[in-house]
Amino acid sequence: MVKFSKELEAQLIPEWKDAFVRSKSMEDGDEEVYQTELVQLFSEEDEVRLFFEGLDEELNKVNQFYKTKESEFLERGEILNKQLEILLDLKRIVNERRRKPNAGVLSRSWSSSPRNSNFSESGTELNEISTDSQTDEIIAALEKNGINFINSATRTKTKKGKPKMAMRIDIPATTPTRTITAVTSMLWEDLVNNPKKEGTGDFISRKKIQCAEKMIRGAFVELYRGLGLLKTYSSLNMVAFTKILKKFDKVSNQQASASYLKAVKRSHFISSDKVVRLMDDVESIFTKHFANSDRKKAMKFLRPQRQRESHMITFFVGLFTGCFVSLFSVYAILAHLSGIFRPNSERSYVETVYPVFSIFALLSLHLFMYGCNLFMWKGTRINYNFIFEFQPSTALKHRDAFLICTTFMTAVVAAMVIHLLLRASGFSPNHVDAIPGILLLIFVFVLICPFDIFYRPTRYCFIRIIRNTVCSPFYKVLMVDFFMADQLTSQISLMRHMETTACHFLAGSFKTHRYETCKTGRLYSELAYVISFLPYFWRAMQCARRWFDESDLDHLANMGKYVSAMVAAGARITYSRQESLHVNYLWLGIVLVTSVFATLYQLYWDFVKDWGLLNSKSKNLWLRDDLILKNKSVYYMSIALNIVLRVAWVETVIRFRPNVVKSSMLDFVLASLEVIRRGHWNFYRLENEHLNNVGKFRAVKAVPLPFRDTDSDG
């Protein structure tokens, strides 16, 4: 605690009322540096002097960061204004040309450098070439509006003799059509045509203008959110300085806060109104050009309301949890009494019905782990909505995930109980075994239900992500896409159960109870390889697409990890089907080599790349410098747990298969452990991503802009 003598206190009281800070210029620039003049009244060892020196240092940091970000946003705002002007000019020209007889010229796309994602919307459009007179007329009309496209034969000059700036329209290859066209156009330009050939002319289509408008609109939204964050940064730091100085006054029995706060309010991060004015400008521009002058509609885009957590959800979670526990207890008792899991019991239940229920059980477990992830991410302030690019108004909360999980599992266990009761009552197995199929149809219907019920935004987002994953590498890969693909690599057992279920339904085994129909089929056996390879293949294709977009060799190295996993999975499947002792030893060696290599590859990528751990130069032994969890031992235990769960494939080498029932149960347990490992991996993966965003001050998305200066291509 700082104490003052009465003589020193009398000397200091007039100083509190004077100018409290002064600024001086740095030798290497024009940056303002605030320094309290009061610190000169103390000796170097005085605690008060150290306090105010530290406070000045923090004030300088806040000011310089605010000024840097403010200048970045102001520059971004100017660029967006220019982009919007070009867009409005193009829309006006297109609308004018559409009203004329030769309006069809502008409805065609242009050809330009495919390496910068400049491609036509479809392959047939590349063959639609207009006459030279029409081309000249279009280019002349565009140049009157200050735009001159690349490869234009009539590139004009300004009054000073300098050439006008040529513009390029870049539309990202985010869809399969655009991706295929971009690749084919690039190959055509490289192999057949001369890409530097002049005089080809560029054309514009309404589709391209719509894509450009969507990109600019998204850029304005992100600019507005960034300005809001910077405004919040200013207010929070003002509150921080206020509380710090009030605490100082309380400890030292002085009144320094009022005078120092006056100096803080005169500093740039408080006195500057450029951010507020730019926010007002963005609101007016967005309302006028992107919301049809409807301010309420514009504010829904610029200021999305966060979803409120309802206490009713907590009530229903508890209710369905109780129902689930009760029903599962009833099912366990009935299963024991009926003896369906005994080795000498009929195998039809385990071979046909049980895989269907296993699908729902594994899916519910994954939902439960995702709910735990959401709870932990929220508790540790990891901004998962920003990382996944989710809308805060529709993003799931952990209570929502738990509600979906418990409701889902309650319905599944209820169906299992009804199924056992009907079997015990003597109903025909042909009718009773239709219950799993009905449950599956209900699930599919709820998933694709078009009505705004049952979390429709989340359901449709899930379907869209699955579509992007399955169609890899034709869709642009986002964080949420490869995150979902990683989840699928942990659900290969679920996909194998889906294969079994589909086979039994298609082959009619639910009616005949001939479970060997699918097991002995050659097509079924070959599809086992395909099902085991697919998740790894999708993930490898995503890595290839990211390498193509970003030219980062790390993505190729990551692709090698999934290729090695495919090889190891194929070797294990082949080994499990061998009967000859000689062949077993041969394949045992192949399995050990491929599996050990793939496991070491995966463990390295988990710890070093995905989690950012095992840094020998870190201040935290073999961890990383920044840790969200305070207890470091948690990270070491997580490393050990991940290693143990990663080597679960050893069970396939031991081949512990006493009978069909225990084998199925063991497979389900191992599949559940892999789902738990993935949920455990998810937390540290997003923790590392969040820390990287914080370290690089990434709080808003970097939206690409459609119109680009071709002179800066290099």
Side-chain angles (χ1 to χ4, degrees):
M1 182 178 292
V2 181
K3 295 293 184 180
F4 292 94
S5 63
K6 294 184 177 180
E7 294 80 9
L8 183 58
E9 181 178 345
Q11 179 184 2
L12 294 180
I13 290 177
E15 299 292 341
W16 299 115
K17 302 177 182 179
D18 295 338
F20 213 79
V21 295
R22 58 185 174 86
S23 63
K24 61 181 180 180
S25 298
M26 300 288 290
E27 295 180 358
D28 56 347
D30 297 329
E31 298 178 348
E32 273 192 325
V33 178
Y34 292 86
Q35 182 179 359
T36 307
E37 292 184 345
L38 184 63
V39 299
Q40 299 176 356
L41 300 175
F42 302 98
S43 63
E44 294 183 357
E45 295 77 17
D46 200 298
E47 294 179 357
V48 178
R49 180 186 181 91
L50 296 177
F51 170 78
F52 282 108
E53 284 180 349
L55 204 60
D56 291 341
E57 183 179 355
E58 295 302 319
L59 180 59
N60 291 326
K61 288 181 181 179
V62 172
N63 264 308
Q64 296 307 324
F65 179 81
Y66 185 89
K67 290 174 69 175
T68 301
K69 290 299 177 182
E70 183 186 63
S71 61
E72 290 179 4
F73 284 127
L74 291 175
E75 182 181 359
R76 182 73 170 178
E78 293 178 359
I79 295 174
L80 283 178
N81 279 329
K82 294 179 181 178
Q83 296 273 321
L84 182 61
E85 291 175 2
I86 297 174
L87 176 67
L88 296 177
D89 288 339
L90 291 177
K91 292 177 67 175
R92 183 166 54 253
I93 293 171
V94 171
N95 291 333
E96 290 176 357
R97 293 291 175 179
R98 287 187 64 206
R99 292 192 291 268
K100 295 186 178 182
N102 58 348
V105 176
L106 281 173
S107 63
R108 299 171 182 173
S109 65
W110 69 94
S111 61
S112 52
S113 177
R115 292 190 182 277
N116 293 282
S117 301
N118 302 313
F119 45 85
S120 58
E121 192 63 23
S122 65
T124 58
E125 291 177 344
L126 291 173
N127 298 323
E128 299 177 357
I129 303 176
S130 300
T131 62
D132 294 338
S133 59
Q134 291 173 330
T135 301
D136 295 339
E137 183 181 357
I138 295 171
I139 295 176
L142 293 173
E143 289 179 345
K144 289 180 180 179
N145 291 269
I147 306 168
N148 185 36
F149 287 96
I150 61 171
N151 296 334
S152 174
T154 59
R155 183 167 181 175
T156 59
K157 297 182 179 181
T158 61
K159 295 181 179 180
K160 297 182 179 180
K162 297 181 179 180
K164 283 188 176 181
M165 196 65 68
M167 300 300 296
R168 183 194 300 278
I169 301 183
D170 289 339
I171 306 298
T174 55
T175 63
T177 303
R178 296 175 184 173
T179 303
I180 294 173
T181 308
V183 174
T184 54
S185 299
M186 180 183 65
L187 294 176
W188 183 260
E189 290 287 345
D190 288 342
L191 299 177
V192 180
N193 297 331
N194 183 4
K196 297 182 179 180
K197 183 178 179 180
E198 297 292 339
T200 57
D202 295 324
F203 300 94
I204 303 171
S205 67
R206 291 185 62 200
K207 189 71 174 179
K208 292 295 183 290
I209 293 179
Q210 291 174 358
C211 293
E213 182 177 3
K214 185 177 180 180
M215 294 170 66
I216 294 175
R217 182 183 64 186
F220 269 108
V221 171
E222 292 304 319
L223 174 63
Y224 188 85
R225 292 177 181 174
L227 292 170
L229 291 175
L230 191 59
K231 184 180 177 182
T232 303
Y233 173 83
S234 173
S235 60
L236 288 177
N237 278 281
M238 185 65 202
V239 172
F241 279 109
T242 302
K243 291 186 176 181
I244 289 172
L245 289 167
K246 284 185 178 180
K247 184 68 174 179
F248 175 81
D249 289 347
K250 182 178 179 181
V251 172
S252 62
N253 296 323
Q254 295 300 315
Q255 300 297 324
S257 60
S259 299
Y260 199 98
L261 285 177
K262 289 180 181 178
V264 174
K265 292 178 181 179
R266 290 195 300 269
S267 60
H268 185 79
F269 81 98
I270 295 296
S271 60
S272 177
D273 62 343
K274 294 180 181 180
V275 170
V276 177
R277 286 191 282 111
L278 184 55
M279 290 183 70
D280 295 337
D281 293 341
V282 172
E283 288 181 9
S284 60
I285 291 173
F286 197 91
T287 302
K288 180 180 179 181
H289 297 290
F290 300 105
N292 296 325
S293 300
D294 187 350
R295 182 174 177 81
K296 185 177 181 180
K297 180 180 178 181
M299 289 300 102
K300 288 183 179 180
F301 282 97
L302 296 175
R303 298 176 183 174
Q305 297 295 324
R306 292 186 176 273
Q307 181 184 5
R308 296 181 179 178
E309 294 188 9
S310 174
H311 293 289
M312 290 296 294
I313 295 180
T314 306
F315 169 75
F316 282 116
V317 169
L319 177 64
F320 283 114
T321 301
C323 293
F324 165 71
V325 173
S326 302
L327 288 172
F328 188 78
S329 301
V330 173
Y331 172 76
I333 295 173
L334 291 176
H336 177 71
L337 294 177
S338 61
I340 59 173
F341 289 115
R342 292 176 184 173
N344 57 353
S345 63
E346 59 174 328
R347 298 169 57 182
S348 61
Y349 183 87
V350 176
E351 295 288 347
T352 59
V353 179
Y354 187 71
V356 184
F357 292 132
S358 298
I359 294 174
F360 295 110
L362 291 174
L363 187 59
S364 298
L365 178 61
H366 216 131
L367 283 172
F368 175 77
M369 294 303 300
Y370 181 66
C372 295
N373 289 147
L374 292 177
F375 178 77
M376 290 297 298
W377 291 333
K378 180 184 177 182
T380 53
R381 299 180 179 236
I382 293 176
N383 193 358
Y384 60 91
N385 284 333
F386 169 69
I387 295 174
F388 290 141
E389 300 184 16
F390 289 159
Q391 292 293 333
S393 57
T394 58
L396 284 184
K397 307 295 183 182
H398 64 276
R399 289 188 178 90
D400 299 309
F402 289 145
L403 177 61
I404 296 173
C405 173
T406 53
T407 305
F408 196 51
M409 267 316 291
T410 302
V412 172
V413 176
M416 295 170 69
V417 171
I418 294 173
H419 182 270
L420 284 181
L421 289 175
L422 292 178
R423 283 172 61 95
S425 300
F427 280 83
S428 173
N430 295 339
H431 298 90
V432 174
D433 290 346
I435 292 178
I438 296 173
L439 187 64
L440 196 61
L441 291 176
I442 293 175
F443 169 75
V444 174
F445 173 76
V446 172
L447 182 63
I448 64 176
C449 178
F451 303 109
D452 194 8
I453 54 176
F454 304 127
Y455 300 95
R456 186 180 68 173
T458 301
R459 291 188 284 110
Y460 278 27
C461 179
F462 174 77
I463 295 174
R464 185 178 67 254
I465 294 171
I466 293 296
R467 178 204 63 186
N468 295 353
T469 302
V470 172
C471 296
S472 301
F474 300 113
Y475 282 96
K476 182 178 176 61
V477 182
L478 304 178
M479 172 71 185
V480 67
D481 295 329
F482 66 76
F483 190 83
M484 176 60 73
D486 280 325
Q487 309 307 305
L488 294 179
T489 59
S490 295
Q491 285 287 13
I492 294 178
S493 295
L494 182 146
M495 298 177 67
R496 292 290 303 274
H497 287 318
M498 291 177 64
E499 178 197 9
T500 303
T501 302
C503 180
H504 283 301
F505 272 116
L506 294 176
S509 298
F510 276 100
K511 294 182 179 180
T512 63
H513 283 192
R514 296 180 61 186
Y515 54 86
E516 69 276 0
T517 302
C518 292
K519 293 293 184 181
T520 58
R522 180 177 179 182
L523 180 61
Y524 178 87
S525 300
E526 299 299 330
L527 282 177
Y529 288 96
V530 177
I531 296 298
S532 301
F533 290 167
L534 269 180
Y536 298 118
F537 172 78
W538 291 332
R539 191 65 186 90
M541 290 299 99
Q542 287 182 338
C543 294
R545 175 58 190 265
R546 294 188 71 191
W547 169 78
F548 182 81
D549 290 339
E550 304 172 16
S551 299
D552 188 352
L553 293 179
D554 277 350
H555 297 312
L556 288 182
N558 197 15
M559 184 175 69
K561 179 186 72 173
Y562 296 104
V563 172
S564 67
M566 291 172 61
V567 174
R572 287 196 292 268
I573 294 176
T574 306
Y575 170 73
S576 64
R577 296 177 178 178
Q578 301 301 314
E579 296 180 358
S580 172
L581 185 61
H582 175 70
V583 177
N584 272 340
Y585 281 123
L586 174 63
W587 279 101
L588 176 60
I590 296 176
V591 167
L592 289 176
V593 172
T594 56
S595 297
V596 169
F597 177 78
T599 301
L600 293 177
Y601 205 155
Q602 292 165 350
L603 288 174
Y604 167 79
W605 209 270
D606 285 345
F607 300 144
V608 178
K609 298 293 184 180
D610 292 337
W611 293 4
L613 303 177
L614 300 186
N615 184 3
S616 59
K617 299 180 180 179
S618 173
K619 62 182 181 182
N620 301 309
L621 182 62
W622 292 108
L623 300 178
R624 63 172 106 86
D625 291 336
D626 298 321
L627 302 174
I628 288 183
L629 301 179
K630 296 180 179 179
N631 191 350
K632 298 179 184 178
S633 61
V634 175
Y635 292 91
Y636 297 113
M637 289 188 292
S638 297
I639 292 174
L641 179 62
N642 191 68
I643 294 175
V644 171
L645 295 179
R646 273 289 190 188
V647 297
W649 55 266
V650 174
E651 188 275 334
T652 61
V653 178
I654 299 175
R655 304 178 73 171
F656 178 70
R657 295 288 189 272
N659 54 65
V660 176
V661 175
K662 291 184 178 180
S663 177
S664 299
M665 297 298 294
L666 182 59
D667 289 340
F668 178 78
V669 171
L670 293 176
S672 301
L673 290 177
E674 173 59 22
V675 172
I676 293 172
R677 188 200 68 80
R678 180 59 62 181
H680 171 256
W681 176 91
N682 289 342
F683 173 79
Y684 296 102
R685 176 66 182 88
L686 246 67
E687 179 199 23
N688 189 37
E689 187 73 18
H690 175 76
L691 292 174
N692 290 334
N693 290 336
V694 171
K696 297 179 181 179
F697 305 109
R698 289 195 295 254
V700 292
K701 292 187 295 184
V703 180
L705 299 177
F707 306 111
R708 183 162 54 86
D709 172 18
T710 58
D711 291 347
S712 63
D713 289 349

